[in-house]
Amino acid sequence: MADGAGGAPAGVRVDLTGRVALVTGASRGIGRAIAVKLAASGASVAGVARSLEGLQATLEAIRAAGGIAEGYAANVAVAADVQRVVDEVEAKFQRIDVLVNNAGVTRDGLMLRMEDHAWQEVIDTNLKGTFLFSRAVGVAMMRARYGRIINISSVAGLVGNPGQANYAASKAGVIGFSKTVARELASRGITVNVVAPGFVTTDMTDALPDKIKTEVKERIPVRRFGTPEDIAELVCYLASPSAGYLTGQVIAVDGGLTA
Ligand code: NAP
């Protein structure tokens, strides 16, 4: 990471000391960057992915920098897994102040040839998983009369993308879900916002053919793919107590792609 003035780390500076953040899909990519940034801001981080082995690198990065992190294995699409993790995190840390629903998958293909399982897997992980974690964590947040829920959507959920009918539907669903839950929970001090990344360099986009990557880059006004840290910066601000008057919003972090 580039250094700012005086050797301090560059980027958004918020104080999350004493806060507990649960981040799904924390094993790599955007989720790892979010977990690392929240921990660097003082939060204790509970990272979720399908395997504990997958989470090790994230946990080690946080602990090596002096932060606090624990890993939890769960499939976000399975209600029993989600409730078990939330119970374990609450038992360990006594609270959950911040929930980042970041876990996501793609199973791309043209709609006319899309198989049922490709549709269902994407909807279950990206949309149902967001619902399950929000519901499970929302109970404690209501009790505490404080919470920050940040859901990771995609520009595909705003403007569509050929070959991603399932993914775009799931991500548009996350937006409608978030706007509704923002209204339901606002009076309890809980904010719910959506971050919609454009093209970000991770395993998910590495799979794209080079020709497509070059074409996409030409359509991005900023002329580069985003980094996971570009997304983590905004998530960190939305996770902070300072962002209490910001709820029900969708913010695209996409280099101007949807401007
Ligand atoms: P990634 O590198 O493929 O990582 C996906 C993460 O989700 C991994 O940590 C993975 O963990 C976890 N995950 C997937 N299915 C899961 C499940 N059923 N239960 C628990 N964890 C699960 O993806 P990424 O690019 O960082 O994307 C992160 C989020 O940003 C996703 O929601 C994605 O849709 C969104 N997004 C990405 C881009 C982009 O350009 N990269 C653009 C727009 C939006 P394990 O595999 O270890 O279980």
Side-chain angles (χ1 to χ4, degrees):
M1 187 187 285
D3 277 358
V12 169
R13 308 290 298 275
V14 301
D15 185 6
L16 297 175
T17 308
R19 303 285 181 186
V20 176
L22 192 159
V23 181
T24 71
S27 59
R28 55 180 189 271
I30 294 171
R32 178 184 294 175
I34 291 170
V36 166
K37 175 88 187 171
L38 290 173
S41 303
S44 299
V45 171
V48 178
R50 283 168 293 190
S51 79
L52 283 179
E53 300 76 61
L55 284 163
Q56 284 318 307
T58 302
L59 301 181
E60 279 162 22
I62 291 173
R63 290 170 185 158
I68 297 170
E70 286 293 329
Y72 299 85
N75 181 343
V76 298
V78 175
D81 272 22
V82 171
Q83 193 58 57
R84 173 183 49 77
V85 166
V86 170
D87 289 346
E88 286 176 13
V89 174
E90 286 178 348
K92 166 93 185 161
F93 294 107
Q94 282 77 51
R95 56 194 293 158
I96 302 175
D97 304 280
V98 178
L99 168 65
V100 184
N101 283 305
N102 163 80
V105 291
T106 50
R107 295 289 178 266
D108 295 353
L110 293 172
M111 189 276 289
L112 290 180
R113 287 194 226 126
M114 188 172 287
E115 298 195 25
D116 292 12
H117 68 85
W119 172 267
Q120 204 58 50
E121 192 182 338
V122 170
I123 298 290
D124 283 353
T125 305
N126 301 4
L127 181 55
K128 186 180 173 193
T130 297
F131 157 61
L132 291 176
F133 260 106
S134 302
R135 185 177 63 180
V137 170
V139 178
M141 288 184 172
M142 288 270 280
R143 229 184 289 124
R145 299 187 79 82
Y146 180 87
R148 298 280 180 268
I149 299 176
I150 299 124
N151 296 327
I152 308 301
S153 175
S154 165
V155 291
L158 291 169
V159 297
N161 197 26
Q164 293 197 309
N166 48 359
Y167 184 75
S170 73
K171 294 300 190 179
V174 164
I175 293 172
F177 171 79
S178 304
K179 285 180 173 287
T180 299
V181 179
R183 289 175 185 274
E184 290 183 4
L185 301 182
S187 65
R188 309 303 178 103
I190 302 167
T191 64
V192 185
N193 289 292
V194 177
V195 175
F199 285 85
V200 178
T201 305
T202 68
D203 291 354
M204 199 177 260
T205 46
D206 279 352
L208 293 171
D210 283 345
K211 186 170 171 285
I212 303 272
K213 284 190 204 162
T214 307
E215 282 169 15
V216 167
K217 226 171 269 179
E218 278 165 13
R219 286 172 29 222
I220 302 172
V222 167
R223 288 286 186 271
R224 66 168 176 88
F225 276 25
T227 64
E229 288 72 24
D230 287 327
I231 311 304
E233 290 293 318
L234 175 60
V235 171
C236 218
Y237 171 66
L238 293 173
S240 73
S242 320
Y245 201 60
L246 205 172
T247 195
Q249 300 307 307
V250 182
I251 306 173
V253 182
D254 64 357
L257 189 63
T258 57

